Amino acid sequence: MTQTNTRSGLFFAIAAFSFYGFMPVYFKQVEAASAMEVLAHRVFWSFLLLGGVLWLLSYWQGSACKQSLAALRNWKTCRMLLLSSSLIAVNWLTFIWAVGNDRITDASLGYFINPLVNILLGMVFLQERLTRPQWLAVLLALTGVAWQVLTTGNLPIVALILAFTFGFYGLVRKQAALPAVSGLLAETALMLPFCVVWFGYLVSTDSHAFRPDQPSLSLWLAFAGVITTVPLLLFTAAATRIRLSTLGFTQYIGPSLSLCLAIFVYNEPFDNNRLVSFLLIWTALAVFTADSLRRGWRQGA
């Protein structure tokens, strides 16, 4: 990799995860609509925008669109994509609900836990062996979750749903072996019929938020495609230019920004018990990241 590619890749990575970090601001703008309607709009407008981008830009037209169509025609791959689209739909719906119900702190916790969930899934489903630092990281994270349960009496359900759905999503997508952009286009195509049915239900019951007498909210809902597509394209650009270890490190920008928004902008509660839980999980991530970097340097030596 050239130095120019590395610099531009780092810029794209920071931009992508910063976009994800500020995503709660968008979902606060559309909280007047139900979480299911916001999800349906996210799928619908993402499909249109992704399809348009891949169709119009000749660089991608010859590969990504054909890859998406080929994946949908292959029953084995299509089954994988049906599962992955279901997982990402639950993930998106949970996040939308969390933002609308002042649970951004829990959502950020979920994305902090996610890399450690990926380690566990790799061990269980891919027979990957954990190093001692990885075991320590997992135990620290479990201690952080257990501390929150013991001190609050509540299991962080939102965080765990987000962490595990995204973890299983990555595992399934790894089996499907499709690039990020063409894969998401195929997934939104599979979800589209359900969204159209849901739109029909909302219109029939006159409970839809996307309507002429609410132009501001309607425009925000239509913007859902941009919110989904832009960070994905930035992430894809970053992934082709920088090391995966660097990309993995920058992913913590997203939940860190979301946590700051939750505490300092939306005034969500963050007491000492919750701080201890986060500190344990941040320590786990530090151990995990240090181990990943150490092994990466050894392999590169």
Side-chain angles (χ1 to χ4, degrees):
M1 295 181 185
T2 65
Q3 190 174 13
T4 302
N5 271 347
T6 301
R7 285 178 178 174
S8 62
L10 189 58
F11 168 79
F12 286 131
I14 293 171
F17 290 114
S18 296
F19 210 108
Y20 284 124
F22 283 110
M23 207 170 273
V25 176
Y26 167 76
F27 288 114
K28 282 290 186 182
Q29 299 302 313
V30 295
E31 62 182 351
S34 68
M36 277 295 296
E37 183 174 0
V38 176
L39 173 64
H41 278 285
R42 187 173 187 181
V43 172
F44 178 76
W45 296 108
S46 296
F47 173 77
L48 290 184
L49 187 56
L50 271 172
V53 167
L54 297 179
W55 183 261
L56 291 173
L57 300 181
S58 58
Y59 179 77
W60 282 316
Q61 183 180 350
S63 57
C65 281
K66 288 182 179 179
Q67 286 173 336
S68 301
L69 290 171
L72 293 173
R73 289 169 181 163
N74 183 305
W75 175 234
K76 183 179 178 181
T77 307
C78 189
R79 281 186 302 174
M80 287 289 184
L81 290 171
L82 276 169
L83 180 55
S84 67
S85 61
S86 300
L87 287 165
I88 201 62
V90 173
N91 183 275
W92 285 355
L93 182 63
T94 304
F95 186 82
I96 293 165
W97 180 91
V99 173
N101 287 271
D102 300 323
R103 304 285 289 276
I104 301 172
T105 302
D106 289 344
S108 68
L109 178 65
Y111 288 112
F112 278 124
I113 295 174
N114 175 248
L116 306 171
V117 168
N118 290 339
I119 296 175
L120 283 176
L121 295 180
M123 180 186 69
V124 174
F125 293 98
L126 303 177
Q127 287 74 54
E128 295 176 357
R129 297 183 63 182
L130 271 61
T131 64
R132 287 182 180 179
Q134 286 176 336
W135 273 115
L136 176 59
V138 170
L139 290 173
L140 283 168
L142 289 174
T143 304
V145 173
W147 177 266
Q148 193 165 139
V149 173
L150 291 171
T151 55
T152 66
N154 296 312
L155 192 68
I157 296 293
V158 168
L160 293 175
I161 291 175
L162 288 173
F164 277 92
T165 53
F166 202 66
F168 275 108
Y169 172 74
L171 185 67
V172 173
R173 278 298 303 272
K174 191 172 184 178
Q175 307 303 313
L178 267 178
V181 178
S182 54
L184 185 61
L185 178 61
E187 286 166 344
T188 51
L190 289 170
M191 289 188 275
L192 196 60
F194 299 98
C195 295
V196 172
V197 170
W198 187 253
F199 285 145
Y201 166 75
L202 291 175
V203 171
S204 68
T205 57
D206 195 31
S207 56
H208 55 105
F210 190 85
R211 54 204 310 154
D213 60 342
Q214 298 184 103
S216 178
L217 179 57
S218 298
L219 284 173
W220 277 115
L221 288 169
F223 199 64
V226 175
I227 289 296
T228 303
T229 303
V230 169
L232 176 66
L233 295 177
L234 290 169
F235 174 83
T236 304
T240 59
R241 290 171 169 82
I242 58 176
R243 292 175 180 269
L244 287 178
S245 58
T246 306
L247 192 64
F249 184 74
T250 57
Q251 75 176 346
Y252 302 134
I253 294 172
S256 298
L257 288 173
S258 294
L259 180 61
C260 289
L261 284 173
I263 298 170
F264 300 113
V265 177
Y266 299 116
N267 300 313
E268 291 190 14
F270 195 77
D271 57 20
N272 290 334
N273 287 326
R274 194 176 289 259
L275 175 60
V276 170
S277 179
F278 269 85
L279 285 173
L280 285 165
I281 290 165
W282 288 333
T283 304
L285 289 173
V287 171
F288 165 72
T289 303
D291 180 61
S292 299
L293 291 173
R294 179 182 60 80
R295 288 185 291 116
W297 287 331
R298 282 185 177 179
Q299 291 171 2

